[in-house]
Amino acid sequence: MSHDSVTHWLGRLKSGDPDAVSPLWERYFPRLVELARGRLGAFPRRMADEEDVALNAFDSFCRDAQAGRLPQLDDRDDLWRVLLVITGQKALDLIRHETAGKRGGMPGTVDFDFETLVGREATPEFAALVADEFRRLM
């Protein structure tokens, strides 16, 4: 196995090696920022933006991998699926958090229709992830 392969770095990360974070970060963080930007769409960036979402997602991924909470994490395909799901969820969490005041009547709230903002159709990446996961489970 090559020492620059994602599988190699995943194995080291799962075994607790902190040096494994950097090569994964360099390879995936820019893609996570773009993914988060797409998920946030026209949502106004107030307290956080797509980089914050990507940072939060990558941090959660690293913590979960090191704690053994991601048993189906063996290669780059598994990694990308996990990062897609985590980043998508973190983007939705940000939107929910930022728009929570709208329901509670807090000042400075955002007047956005959640369905319009997020969209009714899945992104191609998310649709592919769901299809792959469905095939794997079946």
Side-chain angles (χ1 to χ4, degrees):
M1 180 184 317
S2 171
H3 289 304
D4 63 346
S5 78
V6 171
T7 304
H8 169 77
W9 293 112
L10 283 175
R12 289 184 58 181
L13 179 66
K14 287 172 28 176
S15 68
D17 182 357
D19 293 334
V21 172
S22 185
L24 294 171
W25 167 269
E26 290 171 13
R27 184 174 285 192
Y28 287 96
F29 183 72
R31 293 171 67 184
L32 293 180
V33 171
E34 289 303 313
L35 177 64
R37 182 174 292 124
R39 296 300 284 165
L40 292 174
F43 186 74
R45 298 351 183 233
R46 283 185 161 65
M47 297 300 287
D49 64 8
E50 55 272 5
E51 286 193 5
D52 295 309
V53 170
L55 282 166
N56 193 344
F58 194 82
D59 179 63
S60 291
F61 154 72
C62 289
R63 289 175 189 270
D64 288 347
Q66 290 174 331
R69 290 187 291 262
L70 300 171
Q72 295 291 332
L73 184 63
D74 297 318
D75 58 26
R76 64 183 171 182
D77 294 329
D78 293 340
L79 172 58
W80 186 239
R81 285 184 199 110
V82 167
L83 290 174
L84 274 172
V85 170
I86 294 173
T87 305
Q89 187 60 52
K90 296 293 183 179
L92 289 175
D93 288 348
L94 174 62
I95 292 168
R96 286 183 184 125
H97 177 73
E98 292 288 319
T99 59
K102 180 178 178 183
R103 293 184 304 276
M106 294 173 61
T109 60
V110 180
D111 187 23
F112 272 96
D113 174 25
F114 189 74
E115 286 296 322
T116 302
L117 181 64
V118 176
R120 293 175 188 238
E121 292 187 31
T123 63
E125 294 89 2
F126 187 73
L129 171 68
V130 170
D132 288 346
E133 189 63 15
F134 178 77
R135 273 187 242 117
R136 185 185 71 78
L137 292 171
M138 295 307 284

